[in-house]
Amino acid sequence: MNTLQTLVQRHKAGANNGIYAVCSAHPLVIEAAFSQALDDNSVLLIEATSNQVDQFGGYTGMTPIDFREFVLAKAEQFNFPTDNLILGGDHLGPNRWQHLLAEEAMLHADDLIAAYVAAGFKKIHLDCSMSCADDPIPLSDEIVANRAARLGAIAEKTAIATFGYSDLVYVIGTEVPVPGGAAETLNTIEVTSPQAAMKTIETHRCAFAAANIADCWTRVIGLVVQPGVEFDHTGVIDYCSEKANALSGVIDNFPHMVFEAHSTDYQTHAAYRQLVRDHFAILKVGPALTFAMREALFNLCDIEAEIIPKAHCSNLRERIEAQMCEAPQHWQKYYHGNEAEQRFSRCFSFSDRMRYYWPDSVINQAQETLFRNLSRVDIPLPLLSQYMPQQFQHLREGLITADPKALVLDIIRQVLRAYSQACTEKLIAEV
């Protein structure tokens, strides 16, 4: 039984525990996650999504083995015990190739799954919920489950061929929120019905048996459903436990499974605690982390503008805006409205399409200039209070330094602390 199975068993036994998954490839986010996990003395689950990382490089330029080496290098930098590190693959399926005919897209998905498993990723989200070019819309549960089982069989075969055994754990689910948040304004969202959740589980169980991988069914630890949480560009739909009460009870019938909740970014601290109590014991967080990082970096830009001569400023904000306008493919179909509204969204949208642009070398150089400029001076405390009030307080309490990178990491960790406290609530209460 691996670490995640043990965690699930503890939750099923009434421990009221959970785990959050850090879904990001940004170095500052990964560093903040390691720091938080070290302080918590906890397991750290880091997940790459199929658009970030694939066999062709994804938008980060990293293959699964590249991502693994990148994360392990960060673990070594922080002296983080690798036994407490779990790598997961999110939305693994034909997502990247929906424009292709289904069979061609699935062949790419076959290779994607094999690459993730061979690289040592242990938590695999089988997501075949999207329609390809020649598919009906929407797909039936049976088609989704059969494709997921096909990928599961490849994952098992790859694990055994590579490591001699398989201890992979799987997450399934057809009602998967859009990666990165909704593209349109939302006022409400429908919670998955208990009947739909039961049907998803049953169709996948049958598909696993038909694909001759029934023996790994007990390693399906998570079901993705819609608990009624989501965010769009400027708003957040908050979790309401009463609306999810009937759904919450479904998972009691399956001793090896909990719910996995996607798009939990920007929820309240109380909502995270209630989600875990309601058996949404795997909480995914992604855009909120890079959104917080962007806030921190832009606040530093404001400080920089006050104390550094303009000719020597990093111009980080201007560099990002220019790059997003020159290469609009990552945001154009998501951000609508007139020029001013699009500009606002590029900068401030909760969906944070800006995260696709941080790997750019020009933007990285500007960020390095920003850090270098502010590390050579003493940031005046009044400016820190003005633009980063919580970090000002943490500095005064001796919890952090005024190093610009430390300030950014602390703001990212504000997001992570909310998840950490929710996932270890009972332990904290007992202590």
Side-chain angles (χ1 to χ4, degrees):
M1 185 176 293
N2 72 15
T3 302
L4 287 174
Q5 286 177 289
T6 300
L7 179 145
V8 169
Q9 290 304 307
R10 284 182 52 226
H11 181 90
K12 303 295 279 192
N16 198 35
N17 63 311
I19 190 168
Y20 60 92
V22 175
C23 303
S24 179
H26 196 286
L28 291 175
V29 171
I30 300 301
E31 290 183 24
F34 275 121
S35 294
Q36 186 63 44
L38 281 171
D39 279 1
D40 293 336
N41 190 27
S42 69
V43 170
L44 177 59
L45 172 58
I46 297 177
E47 300 204 23
T49 63
S50 58
N51 57 352
Q52 287 175 329
V53 173
D54 66 20
Q55 66 268 42
F56 305 111
Y59 76 76
T60 63
M62 287 189 282
T63 63
I65 191 65
D66 293 334
F67 185 83
R68 176 179 179 272
E69 294 304 316
F70 158 68
V71 173
L72 287 178
K74 290 294 183 185
E76 184 176 3
Q77 176 185 336
F78 281 81
N79 294 314
F80 189 86
T82 54
D83 287 348
N84 285 351
L85 175 64
I86 302 169
L87 293 180
D90 198 20
H91 297 287
L92 301 188
N95 179 46
R96 291 273 285 174
W97 305 284
Q98 295 177 54
H99 62 287
L100 301 177
L101 299 180
E103 184 52 32
E104 185 179 0
M106 284 300 296
L107 288 173
H108 284 308
D110 294 344
D111 294 339
L112 176 73
I113 287 284
Y116 267 82
V117 172
F121 288 69
K122 295 297 186 181
K123 177 179 176 290
I124 304 297
H125 174 208
L126 300 172
D127 179 10
C128 296
S129 60
M130 60 291 298
S131 295
C132 298
D134 57 339
D135 278 331
I137 301 175
L139 294 178
S140 68
D141 282 350
E142 288 73 20
I143 292 175
V144 172
N146 288 337
R147 289 178 181 176
R150 165 179 167 167
L151 298 182
I154 291 171
E156 289 294 298
K157 181 179 178 180
T158 303
I160 293 168
T162 307
F163 305 106
Y165 63 95
S166 176
D167 61 350
L168 300 174
V169 294
Y170 297 97
V171 172
I172 59 171
T174 57
E175 295 204 22
V176 184
V178 177
E184 69 282 351
T185 300
L186 298 173
N187 295 312
T188 186
I189 197 160
E190 207 57 42
V191 175
T192 300
S193 72
Q195 296 78 13
M198 292 288 288
K199 185 177 181 184
T200 295
I201 294 172
E202 181 59 20
T203 53
H204 278 75
R205 186 190 65 78
C206 291
F208 272 48
N212 295 316
I213 53 170
D215 57 338
C216 71
W217 179 246
T218 56
R219 286 188 271 119
V220 176
I221 63 165
L223 173 67
V224 179
V225 290
Q226 177 49 266
V229 301
E230 187 57 277
F231 57 92
D232 56 33
H233 301 313
T234 59
V236 181
I237 295 180
D238 294 317
Y239 180 63
C240 178
S241 181
E242 290 78 12
K243 293 181 179 179
N245 186 56
L247 173 63
S248 177
V250 167
I251 213 69
D252 290 333
N253 299 308
F254 302 93
H256 54 89
M257 296 175 69
V258 294
F259 290 122
E260 176 170 286
H262 290 219
S263 296
T264 66
D265 308 67
Y266 312 110
Q267 293 288 312
T268 66
H269 291 213
Y272 294 132
R273 292 192 294 270
Q274 191 60 55
L275 279 162
V276 172
R277 289 192 193 103
D278 292 345
H279 310 310
F280 298 94
I282 305 172
L283 302 176
K284 308 295 281 289
V285 56
L289 298 170
T290 45
F291 182 91
M293 181 191 76
R294 190 272 311 157
E295 281 187 323
L297 290 170
F298 282 12
N299 287 339
L300 290 179
C301 287
D302 289 335
I303 293 173
E304 179 191 41
E306 295 288 344
I307 60 177
I308 302 295
K310 185 172 179 58
H312 299 290
C313 283
S314 64
N315 299 310
L316 176 62
R317 291 186 66 162
E318 293 79 5
R319 300 279 188 232
I320 294 176
E321 172 66 8
Q323 184 61 21
M324 292 184 77
C325 290
E326 288 173 13
Q329 64 270 21
H330 294 303
W331 63 265
Q332 202 165 43
K333 68 179 182 179
Y334 299 90
Y335 297 159
H336 309 298
N338 60 35
E339 184 177 341
E341 290 168 331
Q342 289 182 354
R343 182 182 177 87
F344 177 89
S345 293
R346 286 196 297 271
C347 185
F348 298 113
S349 170
F350 281 141
S351 64
D352 188 41
R353 306 299 298 180
M354 188 182 290
R355 71 187 185 276
Y356 290 87
Y357 295 86
W358 291 111
D360 179 81
S361 60
V362 172
I363 294 172
N364 268 296
Q365 289 171 11
Q367 179 187 304
E368 290 170 10
T369 300
L370 175 67
F371 282 178
R372 186 167 57 250
N373 282 344
L374 294 180
S375 64
R376 289 174 175 172
V377 299
D378 292 328
I379 297 176
L381 289 181
L383 284 182
L384 195 59
S385 179
Q386 173 69 34
Y387 293 106
M388 307 174 96
Q390 189 158 2
Q391 282 58 56
F392 166 76
Q393 191 63 40
H394 289 170
L395 177 66
R396 297 283 292 128
E397 294 170 355
L399 300 176
I400 60 173
T401 70
D403 174 75
K405 183 177 178 180
L407 296 170
V408 174
L409 293 177
D410 193 58
I411 285 185
I412 299 170
R413 287 185 63 180
Q414 287 176 201
V415 178
L416 294 171
R417 289 183 194 111
Y419 282 90
S420 171
Q421 290 166 8
C423 290
T424 57
E425 182 187 12
K426 184 168 183 180
L427 176 61
I428 291 171
E430 289 176 347
V431 172

